[in-house]
Amino acid sequence: MAQTGVTENKTNGGNQPGQVSREYTHDIIRVDDLHLAIDLKGTDIEVIRGASFRIPAGKTVALVGESGSGKSIMSQAILGILPNVARITSGNIWYRENPGDQPLDLAKLKDDSAERIALRGGKISIIFQEPMTSLSPLHTIGNQIGEALMLHRDVDKAEVEPTVVQMLDLVGFPDPAAAWSMYPMELSGGLRQRAMIAMALICHPALLIADEPTTALDVSMQAKILSLLRDLQDKLGMAVLLITHDLGVVANMADEVVVMYHGQIMEAGPREAIFNNPQHDYLKALLNAVPDLSMGYDEKLQSLRDIDHEIPASMVGEIKERKTHADETLLRVRGLRKEFTTKKNTGWFGTSANVVKAVDDVTFDVKRGECFGLVGESGCGKTTTLKMIVRALSATSGSVEWLEGDGGDQSVTNLLALDNEGVKAFRRKIQMVFQDPFSSLSPRSTVLNILKEPMEVHNMGSKKEQAEYAAELMRLVGLQPTFLGRYPHSFSGGQRQRIGIARALALRPELLVCDEPVSALDVSVQAQVLNLLKQLQDELGLTYIFISHNLAVVRYIADRIGVMFKGQLVEMATREELFENPVHPYTQALLDVVPHADLDHPLDFDRINRDMASEGRNWKFPFTSQTDGSDMEMISLTENHQVRAVAGTDPATLLK
Amino acid sequence: MIRYIITRIGAMIPTLLLASIVIFTIIQLPPGDYVETYIGELLASGESVDLERAQYLREEYGLDKPMIQRYLLWISNFVMGDFGYSFEYQRPVSEVVGNRLWLTIMVSFATIILTWVIAFPIGIYSATHQYSWGDYGLTFVGLLGLATPNFLLALVMMYFAQTIFGVSIGGLMDAEYIDQPMSWAKFQSILEHLVVPTIVIGTAGTAAMIRRIRANLLDELQKQYVITARAKGVPPFKALVKYPLRMSLNFFVADIGSLLPSIISGAEIVAIVLSLQTTGPLLIAALQSQDMYLAGSFLMFLATLTVIGVLVSDIALGFLDPRIRLSGGAEK
């Protein structure tokens, strides 16, 4: 399989329509039948089993696969930064910088040999997924980037700063000269990733390995970084090995695609062949498992590994009762505000206080039985809004009302006014599912204890009933009750997230608040967890508030969607309405930067560079305030579609 | 930052005041006073004491006044640099302590430097070669050092020094140099005597330090920025020293706070076993005989040094780590 992939490449490689036209000259990297083993307590586990592929000079090759498929360790092998336990057992990695050079076998070189060290950072460099942790917090940006330059190029000390500042300018730092002496902690995630790119490219390498470079960033930042990478590739002419699990990114960036599964190459070839005519079952399954903006509204994702679950008998009664109240308002959020005062240390002399409006006048309703989605870039205030609703943070002003009963005996409770006892009682009705399945479960408790804890806090049933109910919860999320005695570390990310969902359901809540529940999961299990959430909502009559920065995910699961920008809701509509007829410029911009996993909707990189509507400055009238912001309000276009504009604007003019 | 230092120094005053009250109260807690202990000793040796003399002594030392008054007298004198009068030595406290102070500081410094010189390379080796034979072997030796009581080691070494080398290693210098002015011969004698106490006191500290360096460095070695450094082609040794080692030093700097007081006291039991003329045994004797001003002033010294040490640590951390220097507190 793998062998044919490579030979096929040889004939097909070269120009691809729609891509940067650069003549095919030679392969800079040729991986030939590579075997790599990890030593696990004395036994070798083979993680790469006979992989072969190539990286043509100046082209982008995407290495696709789920976590654990061996794609990251492959990049480490090429770069020579394998962990101590890993070892290449056989095979070659041929490296040839120029067409006429004698090929060099990287697999035979020791990781710390002088030849290897000279290549690392000089000719082959890497950027990582986590911009927050990949830079040293103790050294300035200039120091860290300049170090790479001084290691590999024979430069004068005086030249280092101007060269680095020039590079920082190239990767889009707003004030490159100031960034030279800044520390990573003073920069945002996007800027840190840019600094990382500057560091990788300062020596003009022949090959850049990008290991999930945008996975930790939100869509608008992702589009900017991808556009930057393509730009720099044009200017510097390096080859890029793009490791990702996001097929949308692949469709927009890659010339050739290599699909990896369990340490083997499943399929390799030019981008068009991979997307239009996938051969291997795994690739087809992967293409079906990813939520995409171009899929039908009621289309179901095909999970790679489906799970069966059952509803415990004890829950069925409540569900019927709940379903009869469908379509009534359950939660009413009015004028919610949160202000943070940050003290910024201004150096050695004192501090200055700064008020940040994290959430600014947010108003929405959640109906019983629906899923309300909140989308926006990181830092737009969506998580803060959720935290105020569950009373994990105190609100500066506003109200959150919980409505119960119907007709005559309707009761309204203001959640923000509850005292501690009241909050505790209310926690039974609202529960939360967290983003990170690894840190949200205590590593020192068994699954049984994790599931029992909420019941113990709320005195639900006897010890025996609690244990029985925990077993039912496990079945409810499709896990074996026999797993109850295990600790969280023995589960995969997807299974942990299901345990997190089971814990949230332990108190039989009515409203489930989900904070990016699938963004930390691998694509192959994303679909599984999304489908489970969807089924549970339907079967248990649950109401969701679901936040995510991934528009495709929200589109898949939510009925109504609110778009947040800098603490404010700018547009709110039903799913179909929002995606078919987005009115606000920010919503439109957000939709434009989502990479599609097909070749018919390429990202418009020129536009992304030209006007960033996410800046908010370039919005046309009536979307920008003419005064200090007090003249803005939500204007109803239809019953289910509101948009933030200058008060008194005629809805008809907005709709056109 | 300057404002921060000023507020921190301001906060030291109530802390020290509180410490002085606690110290004074605890010294006064046991029944009786120095005069009683003194009379008891005289009686035990068969001498007779008349009550008038006891009364005279009490008045002389101010022991007949109420506790609050005695405290106020002591603390106000302390602040002005008069540390009181030692009953036992019949000399001002500053003289009694001062004589021994520089010897103590020398022993402590020698110990600390020995600890660092041994612990750093071994700790770094253990962390970078985790679970290797070298790591296990060094860890084993380190744990032996940690588990052996210092005073026992001191006795064992004294025994072997006596039987094998025929030298007496007690004391900090040969007897003939005690109370002599400093000379080259005396300095040599001190250096000779310094070897054993340094090794004995240093063992436990070294072992603990190795474990801490190893644990902290192991944590840092896992971090992504270390891989970034490798990936940009930094040679292995430089990549170790510039990034993870520098980061793992934070704990070490934070340790200065507890290091400062231990320079002038510490290792009391070993000092008694090896009969070193350091301040450790002095403090113990003063507490035993209820030599109130000597003990009180000494403990007050230690408290002051602790507080200053912690402040020095915090300021040094601010210099070394931009995360501490630049991040302000955010309100929830």
Side-chain angles (χ1 to χ4, degrees), chain B residues 16 28 37 47 54 79-80 114 161 173 220 237 266 279 285 298 319:
Chain B
L16 286 174
Q28 296 290 317
T37 323
E47 289 178 47
V79 173
M80 286 185 289
L114 181 84
M173 59 196 90
E220 293 304 325
F237 183 72
T279 50
F298 200 94
F319 268 107

Side-chain angles (χ1 to χ4, degrees), chain B:
Chain B
M1 197 68 191
I2 285 170
R3 235 180 70 195
Y4 170 77
I5 295 173
I6 292 170
T7 37
R8 279 295 301 268
I9 292 175
M12 276 164 65
I13 294 166
T15 314
L16 286 174
L17 211 61
L18 210 67
S20 70
I21 294 172
V22 172
I23 288 169
F24 195 83
T25 318
I26 288 179
I27 292 174
Q28 296 290 317
L29 269 185
D33 50 33
Y34 175 73
V35 173
E36 216 155 276
T37 323
Y38 177 67
I39 291 169
E41 269 172 31
L42 289 182
L43 286 175
S45 57
E47 289 178 47
S48 65
V49 186
D50 60 77
L51 282 174
E52 264 177 45
R53 179 166 157 73
Q55 192 56 40
Y56 167 75
L57 278 174
R58 283 215 170 88
E59 269 170 37
E60 175 78 20
Y61 295 140
L63 292 177
D64 55 342
K65 297 197 179 92
M67 195 164 134
I68 304 263
Q69 250 182 45
R70 272 181 286 152
Y71 168 74
L72 288 177
L73 194 69
W74 169 63
I75 198 67
S76 52
N77 282 336
F78 186 91
V79 173
M80 286 185 289
D82 175 8
F83 304 130
Y85 193 79
S86 165
F87 308 142
E88 177 123 29
Y89 294 85
Q90 307 280 325
R91 275 193 293 174
V93 168
S94 50
E95 247 176 65
V96 177
V97 176
N99 275 346
R100 290 175 170 231
L101 200 59
W102 75 268
L103 276 179
T104 314
I105 292 175
M106 198 162 76
V107 173
S108 301
F109 264 116
T111 315
I112 289 167
I113 287 166
L114 181 84
T115 308
W116 289 351
V117 167
I118 297 177
F120 263 94
I122 295 182
I124 293 170
Y125 179 87
S126 279
T128 47
H129 297 76
Q130 196 191 7
Y131 302 142
S132 66
W133 282 109
D135 178 27
Y136 284 131
L138 290 167
T139 304
F140 177 72
V141 174
L143 287 177
L144 269 187
L146 197 60
T148 317
N150 274 345
F151 64 89
L152 189 71
L153 191 64
L155 286 175
V156 170
M157 289 195 60
M158 263 166 93
Y159 172 78
F160 280 119
Q162 190 78 54
T163 53
I164 297 174
F165 301 109
V167 286
S168 157
I169 55 166
L172 266 180
M173 59 196 90
D174 289 331
E176 66 220 62
Y177 297 112
I178 293 176
D179 290 335
Q180 294 297 308
M182 184 50 108
S183 64
W184 177 240
K186 178 175 176 176
F187 185 67
Q188 271 183 316
S189 167
I190 291 176
L191 278 189
E192 269 170 35
H193 280 79
L194 209 56
V195 177
V196 173
T198 307
I199 294 174
V200 170
I201 302 171
T203 43
T206 308
M209 182 71 100
I210 289 174
R211 298 303 295 166
R212 273 187 291 172
I213 293 173
R214 181 176 180 271
N216 278 284
L217 195 54
L218 274 179
D219 276 352
E220 293 304 325
L221 285 174
Q222 314 283 335
K223 300 267 174 76
Q224 182 79 49
Y225 65 81
V226 181
I227 302 173
T228 307
R230 272 185 82 194
K232 81 179 142 171
V234 184
F237 183 72
K238 197 185 170 202
L240 175 73
V241 174
K242 183 176 175 188
Y243 295 102
L245 189 64
R246 158 96 194 265
M247 193 82 122
S248 64
L249 283 186
N250 271 8
F251 93 91
F252 183 75
V253 175
D255 216 35
I256 295 175
S258 57
L259 212 61
L260 218 51
S262 73
I263 284 179
I264 69 153
S265 90
E268 294 87 353
I269 297 174
V270 175
I272 292 173
V273 171
L274 291 174
S275 57
L276 307 177
Q277 293 90 3
T278 59
T279 50
L282 191 74
L283 175 62
I284 292 183
L287 289 170
Q288 276 172 340
S289 63
Q290 289 185 305
D291 193 346
M292 187 177 93
Y293 295 120
L294 180 56
S297 298
F298 200 94
L299 288 176
M300 216 31 223
F301 262 147
L302 293 186
T304 315
L305 283 176
T306 310
V307 176
I308 292 174
V310 171
L311 178 66
V312 170
S313 295
D314 286 354
I315 294 171
L317 279 177
F319 268 107
L320 281 176
D321 194 335
R323 290 171 301 175
I324 295 170
R325 182 167 72 239
L326 296 172
S327 66
E331 274 172 42
K332 265 235 152 163

Side-chain angles (χ1 to χ4, degrees), chain A residues 299-312:
Chain A
E299 203 176 314
K300 190 169 176 272
L301 284 180
Q302 298 299 316
S303 160
L304 263 68
R305 298 169 200 88
D306 251 326
I307 46 166
D308 293 324
H309 71 285
E310 54 184 86
I311 308 287

